[in-house]
Amino acid sequence: SRISGRITNEGGRPLPFDVTDLEVRFAQNVGAVATSFSGGNVTDGGAFSLLTGSGTALVEVLGLKTPLHVRSIAIDGVDATDLPIELAEGDGRRMEIVISDRTGRIGGTVTDRDAHSIANALIVVFPEDRARWGSARLIRTGYSRGDGTYALDNLPAGDYRVAAVPSMPRDAWTDVEVLNRLWTAAVPLRLDGRQQRALQLVIGA
């Protein structure tokens, strides 16, 4: 499948970095644990072209430095941001990628049901849209401090769920079944642009 496209900055502003440092990549699962990658470099005008295998794939952009992130991806005018897409053999698809430096921040306190602050609680932020759970960049974690306060920065705009738990095995939050279990107790959250949100989390609520 042949893909061509361009990377631009949000609002049509000039890109504030050397785009030739970036790589557009497709990640495709080829087995129970194996993933195949194919990609192409970006020209100084933001254009790119690449060949990738047919099948289900997730688009990634490598080389972005915080707070820069992918704001949106469209393929033939259809939203493909953090969503798996289907590529057919011989496709000639057009992709538009928009980069942004506008990120949000959340912070607050983790307590138990009696309003006692909890230190070292794990905070998990994940997309509201289950179809986007395969995108690792949208799943963020952090821990509450000794006084129960926490803060997570550089979150792309979007709709999320936020949960706090006493503990969890390492990387367990990448498991869809774990996120399903967190869903009920998680707090819905919408972030727009450079918004800062205060969010109090209760363990055992």
Side-chain angles (χ1 to χ4, degrees):
S1 185
R2 179 177 294 279
I3 310 290
S4 61
R6 184 173 298 277
I7 295 179
T8 58
N9 199 6
E10 188 176 35
R13 299 183 302 272
L15 288 163
F17 59 94
D18 184 359
V19 291
T20 61
D21 292 335
L22 302 183
E23 179 187 357
V24 178
R25 186 171 77 168
F26 285 83
Q28 294 174 287
N29 291 329
V30 294
V33 295
T35 301
S36 172
F37 298 100
S38 55
N41 293 325
V42 181
T43 70
D44 57 6
F48 61 87
S49 180
L50 58 94
L51 290 172
T52 186
S54 59
T56 304
L58 193 67
V59 184
E60 301 175 341
V61 178
L62 306 183
L64 289 171
K65 305 232 176 359
T66 304
L68 294 169
H69 64 280
V70 173
R71 179 68 182 91
S72 66
I73 297 174
I75 297 181
D76 295 334
V78 178
D79 180 32
T81 314
D82 300 300
L83 292 169
I85 61 172
E86 290 297 327
L87 299 171
E89 183 178 354
D91 263 356
R93 311 287 292 275
R94 179 69 186 177
M95 183 185 303
E96 299 293 337
I97 299 175
V98 179
I99 303 298
S100 175
D101 64 355
R102 297 169 61 86
T103 60
R105 180 181 189 273
I106 64 171
T109 304
V110 182
T111 68
D112 61 18
R113 285 178 291 184
D114 296 320
H116 298 132
S117 298
I118 298 180
N120 298 317
L122 173 66
I123 295 92
V124 183
V125 182
F126 55 99
E128 174 85 16
D129 184 357
R130 285 177 166 85
R132 289 179 162 87
W133 285 1
S135 178
R137 79 184 186 100
L138 296 181
I139 300 178
R140 303 289 181 84
T141 60
Y143 291 90
S144 59
R145 307 180 185 98
D147 60 356
T149 60
Y150 74 94
L152 288 170
D153 298 309
N154 299 315
L155 289 163
D159 294 314
Y160 296 92
R161 290 259 167 172
V162 186
V165 294
S167 63
M168 188 179 291
R170 183 177 177 83
D171 293 335
W173 50 84
T174 61
D175 187 325
V176 170
E177 291 306 316
V178 171
L179 295 181
N180 270 322
R181 290 197 295 271
L182 291 176
W183 179 269
T184 302
V187 179
L189 170 73
R190 169 168 287 184
L191 284 176
D192 297 314
R194 293 190 174 95
Q195 190 175 27
Q196 298 189 30
R197 291 286 303 275
L199 197 64
Q200 307 307 116
L201 301 174
V202 180
I203 290 180

